[in-house]
Amino acid sequence: MVKRIRTFAGIAAVLVLASYVAGCKTTTSPGRQIDDATIKSSVKAKLAADVKLSTLTNIEVNSTNGIVTLAGQVETAEQKAMAADVTRTVDGVVKVNNELQVKMKM
């Protein structure tokens, strides 16, 4: 009986340790994380600086490994395309996932 409890406790300890180590691991290096933060802020700045896009406040920008995702709503399909084009001009951008939605006019 004591042997079973020790075996169970040992297995439980190994599982806890494995889940702890797996939870601490990130998929990107610290340098890449900084680059993504820089890309994100650069994209936001360029979108804000563009005269035709500066009024848009519903654009969310995320960057992971240089892949930028744009989400939110815009007024026109032209603004959607322009936002992606402006994003592509930022240094470090590898790809743009344009998930912007055009508002439906009633």
Side-chain angles (χ1 to χ4, degrees):
M1 179 74 162
V2 172
K3 188 174 182 179
R4 281 187 177 176
I5 292 173
R6 284 185 183 167
T7 302
F8 178 73
I11 291 171
V14 169
L15 290 175
V16 168
L17 180 62
S19 64
Y20 175 76
V21 170
C24 292
K25 188 175 181 182
T26 71
T27 58
T28 57
S29 69
R32 181 74 247 178
Q33 290 173 358
I34 292 170
D35 290 345
D36 284 329
T38 302
I39 290 169
K40 180 178 177 176
S41 62
S42 296
V43 168
K44 285 185 169 190
K46 277 208 171 186
L47 291 174
D50 190 287
V51 175
K52 293 182 180 177
L53 298 174
S54 62
T55 59
L56 303 176
T57 57
N58 293 336
I59 296 180
E60 184 176 325
V61 179
N62 288 306
S63 179
T64 304
N65 297 325
I67 300 171
V68 177
T69 301
L70 302 175
Q73 291 187 333
V74 293
E75 297 292 327
T76 66
E78 179 187 19
Q79 288 176 330
K80 177 179 178 175
M82 287 175 57
D85 291 342
V86 167
T87 301
R88 285 186 191 93
T89 66
V90 173
D91 288 338
V93 173
V94 176
K95 180 181 174 185
V96 177
N97 292 328
N98 191 348
E99 297 180 5
L100 293 170
Q101 301 294 314
V102 177
K103 289 182 183 178
M104 294 188 65
K105 297 184 181 185
M106 307 243 177

